[in-house]
Amino acid sequence: MKIIEAHGAHIPAIGFGTYTLEGGACVEMVAEAIRTGYRHIDTARMYGNEREVGEGIRQAGIDRDELFVTTKVWWTELSEDKFLPSAERAVEALGINAVDLLLIHWPNGSIPLEESIDALNAVADRGLTRHIGVANFTSALLDEACAMSSRPLVCNQVEYHPFLSQEAVLSACRRHDMALIAYSPVGQGGAVLDHPVIREAAERHGRTPAQIVLAWEVAQEGVGAIPRTKNKERLAENLDVFDLALSDEEMRAITELTHRRQRLVDPSFAPNWDRN
Ligand SMILES: NC(=O)c1ccc[n+]([C@@H]2O[C@H](COP(=O)([O-])OP(=O)(O)OC[C@H]3O[C@@H](n4cnc5c(N)ncnc54)[C@H](OP(=O)(O)O)[C@@H]3O)[C@@H](O)[C@H]2O)c1
């Protein structure tokens, strides 16, 4: 497993995404993911499943120190008075002493960025998280946030797959020695996996389209991915990508597709995205 090192955080490059997983199925999938070899689990306050994710971790019976757990504070809770209580509820729901990484889930243009970044730092000062970071930040917001934060920001979690370029955000992450963690990394199982460039690479390597896409992501310096599945058979498939070496030509051809800029996640409260 490739580990991304960022400001002292050691982030396993493939994590298990848990959005939409709920109840007993969530508990079971998280436990099974850990048994399959996942060491990085991604949840959020907004997913409403932190309790089940925590239960899955306990059922897997793994030593807590072997696991990298991320959660996120929702964009409506970023003010000084709401941030810390939200983070406390997250850690309490997970039932672990502290998470490894706590993220601002989305920027909120109506709350001063400095206020949210200070509150994020205060959560780490309280020992509720080992590392801090952000999600859905543009390159400009990332530059601002890094300049304001007393602790280093270790990652920006953003949508990234072969149909969406993240050139500007990736350069910003590299400028700040941060990881870029790709969400919707298999394009939510949609058209990305059917594109001829992906399908043909899959045939050449005797692997699945999802494995080609994930291998393209983790081959990039500082990039990790958090695929989600409700299907136990796909857990191993999505993790088994580190021995899959794409040629320079294949890497280039897949990167070329990113100029289609087909964003899958773009809510009304999204920031003013980078244009590249
Ligand atoms: N920070 C944010 O704002 C943000 C936003 C979105 C997501 N996320 C995080 O990122 C995680 C992943 O993103 P996502 O859930 O949007 O999308 P995703 O992981 O790209 O796609 C999940 C979909 O792809 C299918 N799939 C998974 N593995 C596959 C495979 N090997 N072959 C074919 N289809 C496959 C799944 O179907 P089956 O279940 O049937 O396998 C599911 O429908 C989320 O769970 C969440 O943790 C964060």
Side-chain angles (χ1 to χ4, degrees):
M1 164 87 74
K2 169 184 158 190
I3 304 287
I4 304 170
E5 205 279 328
H7 298 286
H10 293 89
I11 311 174
I14 293 279
F16 182 54
T18 65
Y19 184 44
T20 74
L21 295 178
E22 49 187 28
C26 178
V27 176
E28 217 175 290
M29 283 305 289
V30 168
E32 188 63 21
I34 295 167
R35 285 193 285 265
T36 305
Y38 286 76
R39 291 296 177 264
H40 169 181
I41 310 288
D42 182 83
T43 180
R45 285 268 70 202
M46 190 277 258
Y47 304 167
N49 64 8
E50 287 163 319
R51 222 161 272 286
E52 289 76 13
V53 168
E55 186 53 33
I57 292 171
R58 280 181 291 283
Q59 284 196 9
I62 192 171
D63 183 357
R64 170 69 185 89
D65 292 341
E66 284 191 40
L67 216 53
F68 192 94
V69 182
T70 301
T71 195
K72 320 180 192 83
V73 168
W74 193 232
W75 69 286
T76 54
E77 312 282 299
L78 301 185
S79 57
E80 192 188 358
D81 55 327
K82 292 189 180 150
F83 203 120
L84 189 61
S86 182
E88 280 170 343
R89 282 194 291 275
V91 168
E92 189 270 324
L94 280 157
I96 53 184
N97 288 336
V99 291
D100 296 281
L101 180 58
L102 190 115
L103 307 179
I104 290 178
H105 203 148
W106 287 86
N108 183 334
S110 58
I111 296 172
L113 184 59
E114 193 155 15
E115 180 178 338
S116 312
I117 294 294
D118 283 351
L120 179 63
N121 276 273
V123 169
D125 294 344
R126 288 286 185 98
L128 294 169
T129 185
R130 299 194 173 90
H131 304 281
I132 55 173
V134 294
N136 296 299
F137 271 42
T138 60
S139 57
L141 281 169
L142 208 54
D143 286 342
E144 272 187 69
C146 287
M148 286 168 182
S149 186
S150 26
R151 289 172 182 260
L153 300 175
V154 308
C155 105
N156 187 15
Q157 186 183 114
V158 292
E159 178 178 342
Y160 190 35
H161 48 68
F163 282 0
L164 182 66
S165 168
Q166 285 292 11
E167 238 172 273
V169 169
L170 193 49
S171 318
C173 285
R174 289 179 178 156
R175 198 157 61 235
H176 298 293
D177 296 319
M178 295 167 70
L180 184 156
I181 301 299
Y183 76 67
S184 306
V186 298
Q188 298 181 340
V192 167
L193 302 182
D194 266 336
H195 192 281
V197 166
I198 307 294
R199 295 202 70 85
E200 284 160 22
E203 275 162 37
R204 267 193 305 279
H205 289 271
R207 309 294 282 264
T208 67
Q211 287 179 314
I212 298 297
V213 165
L214 292 165
W216 169 79
E217 282 152 11
V218 301
Q220 298 171 56
E221 191 202 329
V223 176
I226 45 171
R228 160 184 58 106
T229 183
K230 291 183 173 163
N231 180 331
K232 284 189 182 167
E233 284 73 54
R234 284 181 173 159
L235 284 173
E237 175 187 338
N238 291 348
L239 190 61
D240 181 21
V241 298
F242 293 101
D243 65 339
L244 203 176
L246 298 171
S247 68
D248 290 349
E249 186 41 43
E250 287 170 329
M251 287 295 292
R252 250 195 314 276
I254 299 173
T255 302
E256 193 61 32
L257 303 178
T258 62
H259 298 118
R260 300 165 77 109
R261 292 184 201 109
Q262 290 176 12
R263 201 177 275 284
L264 299 166
V265 181
D266 197 9
S268 57
F269 51 83
N272 192 9
W273 299 117
D274 286 284
R275 296 264 168 252
N276 69 357

